[in-house]
Amino acid sequence: MIAETVFNQGFEVEGGDFVRGGEASCRILEILKELAFPPSIVRRAGIAAYEAEMNIVMYADDGGLELTVTPDRIVIVVADRGQGIPDIELAMRDGYSTATDEIREMGFGAGMGLPNIKKNSDEMKISSTLGEGTRVEIVIKANHGEVRCEDSRPCAES
Amino acid sequence: MRLKDIIEAVEVEVLAGAQCLPDREVVTVSACDLMSDVLAFAKPGILLVTGLTNAQIIRTAQIADLSGIIVVRGKRPNAETIELAEKMHIPLLSTSMHMFELCSELAKIGLAGTHTE
Ligand SMILES: Nc1ncnc2c1ncn2[C@@H]1O[C@H](COP(=O)(O)OP(=O)(O)O)[C@@H](O)[C@H]1O
Ligand SMILES: [Mg+2]
């Protein structure tokens, strides 16, 4: 655990579970709203977490998300046990995907997940070991305790 | 435009989330069968028009803070999807119209696409 942790919680994710897939990210979204982060920050964290969570559902055996909030950042570590990624540089490319037709029929598998995770993070670290699994670390810089309203919408009611 | 006013103007059936219709404001419309696209271009106040019916349309709606979802071509999401929408307070609607027909109806009442606004 990181020093000065404001909040820390882990969530399990089951590979292949397309019904419950996304549940962990939705819970993270609710927690960040309750912690009164601005809507734009909550949105970025939610989108990045959700695309990473769906990658576990689509490509891995099982895994989880761990949310850590410190005074100056939101960190979401998404780690799985699974096949791993043979070529990370290739996987990060816009449009690259090994998704099956079944996955595409569910609205995913356009090869936009990892690039969108990167776009929504301030820092993104990804590492993978073939046959063992993949770890994606999403960092979003946000000051907890002095949150501002960045959107036209009001801040989450607290 | 309020989702409630849209429902009065075009022929749709409410499958879930009826109680949150009055306070949902629709800013733009996205017609899309790719959830990654919705997530890539998400901004507040999108009404999603889609041919998909699986649970991930509801998760996407929650994550991207969509105003609501209209499923086209009379497709019926399964009970799990409808239940999830109800639980998450996501307005889930259905129409017998095909995607283009529904979108032209929505354009007629003054709504614009998410990217042309
Ligand atoms: N957790 C993971 N385990 C194994 N492979 C993965 C994982 N995440 C991503 N990949 C690989 O990287 C590719 C690109 O991922 P992404 O950008 O999310 O697009 P998509 O999921 O639409 O294919 C995937 O098609 C898959 O081959
Ligand atoms: Mg993906």
Side-chain angles (χ1 to χ4, degrees), chain A residues 51-52 54-55 58-59 97 108-114 117, chain B residues 36:
Chain A
E51 283 283 8
M54 289 313 291
N55 280 350
M58 294 187 281
Y59 308 111
S97 177
F108 287 89
M112 299 169 68
L114 292 173
I117 294 169
Chain B
S36 286

Side-chain angles (χ1 to χ4, degrees), chain A residues 17-23 25-27 29-30 33 42-43 46-47 50-51 54 104-113 116 119-120 151 153, chain B residues 25 33-46 52 54-67 78 80 84 87-88:
Chain A
D17 191 343
F18 283 95
V19 174
R20 292 191 60 197
E23 206 177 87
S25 302
C26 287
R27 287 182 60 197
L29 191 89
E30 291 309 318
K33 272 187 205 167
V42 174
R43 168 184 296 269
I47 291 171
Y50 180 46
E51 283 283 8
M54 289 313 291
R104 289 177 209 273
E105 278 159 21
M106 310 213 59
F108 287 89
M112 299 169 68
N116 202 20
K119 192 185 104 188
N120 282 289
D151 283 6
R153 292 179 150 200
Chain B
E25 191 68 25
D33 282 350
L34 184 57
M35 294 305 107
S36 286
D37 259 347
V38 180
L39 294 165
F41 305 113
K43 46 182 135 177
I46 294 177
L52 297 186
N54 66 75
Q56 295 312 318
I57 60 175
I58 311 300
R59 306 279 186 210
T60 301
Q62 206 190 358
I63 292 288
D65 197 16
L66 304 180
S67 299
N78 59 26
E80 260 165 357
L84 187 63
K87 195 173 127 206
M88 297 298 164

Side-chain angles (χ1 to χ4, degrees), chain A residues 113-149:
Chain A
L114 292 173
N116 202 20
I117 294 169
K118 192 176 170 67
K119 192 185 104 188
N120 282 289
S121 320
D122 289 312
E123 285 166 29
M124 173 195 180
K125 283 181 214 148
I126 173 166
S127 58
S128 189
T129 308
L130 271 189
E132 284 183 23
T134 301
R135 183 183 186 278
V136 178
E137 184 176 326
I138 298 157
V139 177
I140 293 173
K141 291 180 186 156
N143 285 342
H144 182 261
E146 44 164 300
V147 289
R148 291 158 290 127
C149 287

Side-chain angles (χ1 to χ4, degrees), chain B residues 48-97:
Chain B
L48 175 66
V49 175
T50 187
L52 297 186
T53 56
N54 66 75
Q56 295 312 318
I57 60 175
I58 311 300
R59 306 279 186 210
T60 301
Q62 206 190 358
I63 292 288
D65 197 16
L66 304 180
S67 299
I69 305 168
I70 305 182
V71 176
V72 294
R73 276 173 54 200
K75 288 186 198 172
R76 268 209 107 79
N78 59 26
E80 260 165 357
T81 303
I82 295 175
E83 226 170 82
L84 187 63
E86 200 63 67
K87 195 173 127 206
M88 297 298 164
H89 307 293
I90 306 290
L92 179 62
L93 320 171
S94 156
T95 181
S96 57
M97 279 181 266

